[in-house]
């Protein structure tokens, strides 16, 4: 458009020069053409802008990471006496996405004829994004004038991928019971800790009829509380400094590894808790199948703005709940974290490290993991650059 304006300015200057230097019919016609043609082009543009109808739609509003979303843009000038070129710029699913500078395509909306185009938008990162064209720019025939028409984009949620987990083992002594198992166990009298007097808020099913007949009054059963242990999955959501393009794949991989571990625990009928820090310590428990979708959706759209993962793990260890399977998904494996893992093992926890790294630090990561393994800690490396299954 800038080039067209420069060419038009040169043509206008030459026409004025010829009109003043060589006054004749040709120079007059040339000057009139330079004046009239842009005006006619502007009138056609205004007519198109007043009657243009632009719509866009997406084939889906939720996809898995790595899949594509189809954006369809439809334009039509309702008025017959109209002509314009529509400049469409589609916004992608990218972190910190900015308005694109170049057009993806230019549509020719001419004299009431409809035109449609489609784009495949690749969703490379998990999260929630506004996808589509935020505006359509209309240009005249000469490319001198531009008018913008706003459009409403659609929100698309890109979910993290779930990988298969191979060789995951947990300490059977520390496995928490699922709700289904608890309900079945509570029917057994072995779990009755004591009996007490009946109260109006008690359920009739909890009445201990043998004790009631002996004492000649209604007595109810109190059950021994089952220990809530199981599998804790701690995510490292610390906000780190560095290039955004390098941090986003690691952050996505941390979430994908945590989601994959939670899905594996669910398939094995194990209680899992996903713990991470954001505005405070957040704990999301997954007991049954219906608990997984809301946790999955929350992790897909979360931001990494938490504290040091060492603080989170230390707070869990210091709870002294009798031990559990504690899995930490992080992109670090330094000496401070190694000392904390040794402390957790001493406190009765089964510690597991899932180390996320990219191709730039794989050698350093392998050396550090050998130190964890020598301490009796289970450690596994997961590449942020590939989509391989998590193998223990």
């Amino acid at each position: 458009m800038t080039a067209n304006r420069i060419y038009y300015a040169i043509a206008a200057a030459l026409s004025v020069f010829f009109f003043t230097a060589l006054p004749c019919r040709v120079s007059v016609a040339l000057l009139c053409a330079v004046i009239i043609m842009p005006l006619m082009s502007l009138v056609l543009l205004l007519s198109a802008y007043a009657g243009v109808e632009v719509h866009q739609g997406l084939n889906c509003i939720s996809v898995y990471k790595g899949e594509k979303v189809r954006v369809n843009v439809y334009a039509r000038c309702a008025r017959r006496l109209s002509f314009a070129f529509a400049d469409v710029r589609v916004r992608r699913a990218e972190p910190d996405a900015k308005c694109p500078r170049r057009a993806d395509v230019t549509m020719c909306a001419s004299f009431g004829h409809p035109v449609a185009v489609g784009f495949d938008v690749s969703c490379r990162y998990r999260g929630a994004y506004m996808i589509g064209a935020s505006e359509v720019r209309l240009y005249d025939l000469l490319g001198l004038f531009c008018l913008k028409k706003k459009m409403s984009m659609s929100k698309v949620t890109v979910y993290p991928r779930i990988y298969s987990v191979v060789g995951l083992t947990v300490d059977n002594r520390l496995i928490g019971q699922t709700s289904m198992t608890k309900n079945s166990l509570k029917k057994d009298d072995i779990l009755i800790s004591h009996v007490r007097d009946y109260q109006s808020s008690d359920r009739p099913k909890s009445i201990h009829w043998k004790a009631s007949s002996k004492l000649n009054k209604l007595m109810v059963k109190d059950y021994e509380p089952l220990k809530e242990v199981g599998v804790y999955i701690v995510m490292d959501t610390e906000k780190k400094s560095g290039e955004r393009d390098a941090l986003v794949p690691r952050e996505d991989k941390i979430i994908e590894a945590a989601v994959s571990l939670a899905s594996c625990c669910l398939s094995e009928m194990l209680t899992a808790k996903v713990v991470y820090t954001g505005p405070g310590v957040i704990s999301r428990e997954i007991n049954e199948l219906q608990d997984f979708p809301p946790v999955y959706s929350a992790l897909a759209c979360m931001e990494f703005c938490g504290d040091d993962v060492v603080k989170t793990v230390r707070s869990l260890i210091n709870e002294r709940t009798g031990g559990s399977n504690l899995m930490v998904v992080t992109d670090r494996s330094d000496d401070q974290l190694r000392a904390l893992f040794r402390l957790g093992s001493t406190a009765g926890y089964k510690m597991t490290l899932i180390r996320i790294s990219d191709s730039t630090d794989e050698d350093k990561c392998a050396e550090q993991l050998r130190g964890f393994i020598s301490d009796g800690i289970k450690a596994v490396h997961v590449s942020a650059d590939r989509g391989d299954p998590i193998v223990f």
Side-chain angles (χ1 to χ4, degrees), residues 25 71 87 113 121 137 153 177 194 213 244 257 279 294 317 319:
R25 292 183 178 180
V71 181
D87 182 343
H113 296 291
V121 177
R137 303 183 182 188
M153 296 189 294
Q177 305 292 341
H194 63 280
S213 62
R244 190 64 184 162
I317 293 175
E319 285 181 1

Side-chain angles (χ1 to χ4, degrees), residues 168 170-172 174-185 228-231 261-273 286-290 325:
L168 176 64
V170 295
D171 194 333
N172 293 330
L174 306 176
I175 294 178
Q177 305 292 341
T178 61
S179 300
M180 184 187 305
T181 307
K182 289 177 187 176
N183 293 335
S184 62
L185 287 176
E228 283 291 345
V229 285
V231 180
L261 291 172
S263 176
C264 180
C265 292
L266 187 62
S267 64
E268 297 292 335
M269 300 295 290
L270 303 177
T271 299
K273 283 187 178 181
I286 302 174
N287 290 327
E288 304 291 347
L289 185 60
Q290 59 267 24
N325 297 275

Side-chain angles (χ1 to χ4, degrees), residues 263-370:
S263 176
C264 180
C265 292
L266 187 62
S267 64
E268 297 292 335
M269 300 295 290
L270 303 177
T271 299
K273 283 187 178 181
V274 181
V275 182
Y276 58 94
T277 56
V281 179
I282 303 171
S283 177
R284 300 185 180 275
E285 187 168 351
I286 302 174
N287 290 327
E288 304 291 347
L289 185 60
Q290 59 267 24
D291 299 333
F292 187 77
V295 176
Y296 190 35
S297 300
L299 295 181
C301 302
M302 66 167 293
E303 296 183 4
F304 277 60
C305 56
D307 298 328
D308 190 350
V309 68
V310 172
K311 297 180 180 179
T312 309
V313 176
R314 182 176 285 113
S315 64
L316 287 175
I317 293 175
N318 291 337
E319 285 181 1
R320 302 292 182 182
T321 58
S324 65
N325 297 275
L326 189 55
M327 302 179 180
V328 182
V329 186
T330 179
D331 61 350
R332 53 183 288 190
S333 51
D334 49 49
D335 293 336
Q336 185 182 11
L337 192 65
R338 181 180 173 184
L340 184 63
F341 269 59
R342 286 198 295 263
L343 176 63
S345 299
T346 305
Y349 292 84
K350 181 175 181 180
M351 307 294 295
T352 304
L353 173 64
I354 297 90
R355 173 67 156 84
I356 309 296
S357 71
D358 50 31
S359 56
T360 59
D361 64 345
E362 284 189 356
D363 295 337
K364 180 181 177 182
C365 171
E367 183 180 354
Q368 292 175 337
L369 289 185
R370 282 193 290 268

Side-chain angles (χ1 to χ4, degrees), residues 111-131:
F111 308 115
H113 296 291
V115 61
V117 294
F119 303 91
D120 284 329
V121 177
S122 180
C123 301
R124 298 185 297 167
Y125 306 106
R126 57 94 201 166
Y129 304 96
M130 300 302 294
I131 295 180

